[in-house]
Amino acid sequence: MHLVVARIGRAHGIRGEVTVEVRTDEPELRLGPGAVLATDPASTGPLTIETGRVHSGRLLLRFAGVNDRNAAEALRNTLLIADVDPEETPEDPDEYYDHQLVDLDVVLADGTPVGRITEISHLPSQDLFIVERPDGEEVMIPFVEEIVTIIDLGEQRIVVDPPPGLLDDRAEIASAREAEAAPAEGPGGPEGHGQGPAKDGV
């Protein structure tokens, strides 16, 4: 199985290093020295990682044969693709690979369908499920313990407990407008719905 594990960003310095946008939870395994990765577009690869280091919170890689800034800049926006055994699973039972989660059904605790996961978006602060609703629209669900309560790979489903407004922003906006238009019945206003920190190792 071929999985995108990173996207090459801009060149760093003059010796061929590049910044990368990591798209794997195991960069030390997928993006370590010696790793040979396919690319998209294919014409730029395969690429063999020579060195890797973290600088100012960003991963920097240097590839075999890429020795100057011009060569590094030519790789910008290239996707790095690893060949992963589809039966492989993370060592930590609370961690999941993207390919295990994509295409799972998302439902509420009472079984109400929410949609189907089409993509996992890895942000610096947390991961997001990109979920396609039955009507074709998309909704983003943070992958945090407070919201994602059950992951059942056997049943191919994920149970979520979303805060008000997460799955229907339009309803939340309409409700807020109605509240503003109604006469005030006392001091104070509507309370916000905070979200907890991202779940590590997702």
Side-chain angles (χ1 to χ4, degrees), residues 24-96:
T24 172
D25 293 317
E26 298 178 311
E28 68 284 351
L29 174 64
R30 308 297 180 197
L31 301 172
V36 179
L37 301 168
T39 61
D40 182 6
S43 58
T44 61
L47 294 172
T48 301
I49 298 175
E50 276 195 346
T51 64
R53 65 188 179 97
V54 176
H55 175 73
S56 298
R58 296 295 300 270
L59 179 62
L60 303 180
L61 297 180
R62 185 164 61 192
F63 302 101
V66 180
N67 300 315
D68 58 47
R69 187 177 183 86
N70 288 339
E73 192 62 34
L75 297 175
R76 191 166 187 172
N77 292 324
T78 295
L79 298 178
L80 300 176
I81 302 169
D83 189 6
V84 178
D85 183 346
E87 300 301 320
E88 182 180 337
T89 58
E91 294 182 2
D92 188 333
D94 291 328
E95 294 183 356
Y96 301 88

Side-chain angles (χ1 to χ4, degrees), residues 165 168-182 189-191 193:
D168 193 349
D169 293 334
R170 290 168 299 180
E172 182 79 356
I173 292 171
S175 176
R177 286 178 178 168
E178 290 174 3
E180 290 176 359
E191 295 181 356
H193 300 282

Side-chain angles (χ1 to χ4, degrees), residues 54-188:
V54 176
H55 175 73
S56 298
R58 296 295 300 270
L59 179 62
L60 303 180
L61 297 180
R62 185 164 61 192
F63 302 101
V66 180
N67 300 315
D68 58 47
R69 187 177 183 86
N70 288 339
E73 192 62 34
L75 297 175
R76 191 166 187 172
N77 292 324
T78 295
L79 298 178
L80 300 176
I81 302 169
D83 189 6
V84 178
D85 183 346
E87 300 301 320
E88 182 180 337
T89 58
E91 294 182 2
D92 188 333
D94 291 328
E95 294 183 356
Y96 301 88
Y97 290 141
D98 286 5
H99 69 268
Q100 294 178 284
L101 303 175
V102 171
D103 284 335
L104 294 189
D105 292 325
V106 180
V107 300
L108 300 179
D110 63 3
T112 301
V114 174
R116 179 181 61 88
I117 297 176
T118 59
E119 182 183 350
I120 314 295
S121 179
H122 299 284
L123 302 180
S125 59
Q126 65 186 12
D127 294 335
L128 293 174
F129 292 154
I130 309 302
V131 178
E132 182 178 337
R133 304 295 301 272
D135 61 7
E137 294 191 0
E138 288 187 342
V139 62
M140 293 182 290
I141 298 178
F143 192 174
V144 294
E145 291 178 291
E146 294 84 357
I147 297 175
V148 179
T149 59
I150 297 174
I151 297 177
D152 190 333
L153 297 181
E155 294 292 330
Q156 291 288 288
R157 68 170 192 163
I158 287 175
V159 179
V160 297
D161 181 18
L166 179 64
L167 299 183
D168 193 349
D169 293 334
R170 290 168 299 180
E172 182 79 356
I173 292 171
S175 176
R177 286 178 178 168
E178 290 174 3
E180 290 176 359
E185 295 183 1

